[in-house]
């Protein structure tokens, strides 16, 4: 990739500035490699404490969809924020483990995304080395949850939170634009 302005800046700068610019560029490249820059990959949007678990669940769902010839679900930060809030509320005992408030979550999402249809999967588990895989396995082995995973949605958001007892709470919201 060429960066014409950067190359012009180097050509017109002192050796000290050139070294500084090259060092800054190198650090930026290393940071991108370390943190990854994949399209449609969940990022730490909205302060996710469990972004790696969310990313794993998202990837596993998309791997399953691909195995069935279905297109991937695009991760959306707005949807994920609502999923995270619901998982946090369940983990902190503000709402029971349920779909309580689903309509309100969709109403919030509709403020920025046109929603033709939506669905939600929730899960919780404790004592597993890989809580994301356990949640996805549970969803895939449940007819209703599987129907949501295989349906004609195009966007998704996954939120995870954990309570003091070590219970992981998952919420995945599916949206069709």
């Amino acid at each position: 990739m060429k960066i014409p302005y950067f190359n012009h800046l180097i050509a017109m700068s002192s050796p000290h500035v050139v070294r500084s610019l090259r060092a800054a560029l190198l650090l930026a490249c290393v940071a991108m490699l370390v943190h990854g820059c994949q399209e449609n990959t969940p990022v730490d949007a909205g302060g996710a404490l469990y972004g790696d678990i969310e990313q794993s669940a998202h990837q596993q769902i998309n791997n399953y969809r691909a195995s069935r010839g279905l297109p991937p679900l695009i991760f959306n930060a707005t949807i994920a924020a609502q999923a995270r809030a619901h998982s946090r509320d369940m983990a902190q005992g503000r709402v029971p483990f349920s779909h309580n408030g689903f309509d309100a979550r969709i109403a919030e999402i509709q403020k920025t995304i046109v929603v033709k249809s939506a669905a939600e999967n929730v899960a919780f588990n404790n004592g597993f080395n890989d809580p994301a895989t356990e949640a996805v396995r549970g969803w895939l082995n449940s007819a209703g949850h599987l129907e949501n995973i295989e349906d004609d949605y195009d966007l998704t958001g996954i939120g995870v939170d954990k309570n003091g007892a070590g219970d992981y709470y998952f919420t995945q919201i599916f949206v069709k634009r």
Side-chain angles (χ1 to χ4, degrees), residues 1-30:
M1 172 171 70
K2 289 190 94 175
I3 308 172
Y5 178 73
F6 183 77
N7 290 336
H8 175 71
L9 195 59
I10 287 175
M12 298 195 54
S13 299
S14 71
H16 175 71
V17 171
V18 170
R19 281 192 302 277
S20 296
L21 288 171
R22 285 186 179 145
L25 181 59
L26 178 62
L27 285 174
C29 290
V30 169

Side-chain angles (χ1 to χ4, degrees), residues 128-176:
F128 295 96
N129 290 333
D130 187 350
T133 296
E134 191 61 30
V136 171
R137 184 176 317 158
W139 288 335
L140 294 176
N141 289 320
S142 164
H145 296 104
L146 182 60
E147 182 179 337
N148 290 340
I149 291 168
E150 292 180 339
D151 212 337
D152 188 29
Y153 297 108
D154 57 341
L155 298 178
T156 194
I158 299 174
V160 176
D161 208 329
K162 184 171 118 175
N163 66 16
D167 299 321
Y168 285 89
Y169 288 81
F170 291 77
T171 304
Q172 181 171 22
I173 300 173
F174 303 86
V175 168
K176 173 69 176 171

Side-chain angles (χ1 to χ4, degrees), residues 82 101-109:
Q82 291 301 310
F102 174 71
D103 291 336
R105 287 188 287 286
I106 300 308
E108 279 299 311
I109 292 167

Side-chain angles (χ1 to χ4, degrees), residues 32-44:
M32 289 186 334
L33 289 172
V34 169
H35 293 294
C37 291
Q38 285 185 301
E39 195 172 322
N40 300 332
T41 298
V43 294
D44 194 338

Side-chain angles (χ1 to χ4, degrees), residues 46-122:
L49 296 175
Y50 303 101
D52 54 338
I53 298 172
E54 294 169 1
Q55 181 177 0
S56 176
H58 177 242
Q59 187 61 53
Q60 290 178 55
I61 294 294
N62 274 343
N63 289 346
Y64 174 82
R65 286 176 59 92
S67 76
R68 299 295 188 260
L70 299 169
L73 296 168
I74 299 167
F75 192 91
N76 179 277
T78 299
I79 299 169
Q82 291 301 310
R84 286 183 190 121
H86 184 54
S87 291
R88 185 173 44 252
D89 286 346
M90 290 188 295
Q92 294 178 359
R94 288 194 288 260
V95 299
F97 175 70
S98 68
H99 297 286
N100 288 4
F102 174 71
D103 291 336
R105 287 188 287 286
I106 300 308
E108 279 299 311
I109 292 167
Q110 283 180 314
K111 290 179 180 179
T112 57
I113 299 169
V114 175
V115 177
K116 290 183 182 174
S117 62
E120 177 177 77
N121 286 348
V122 295

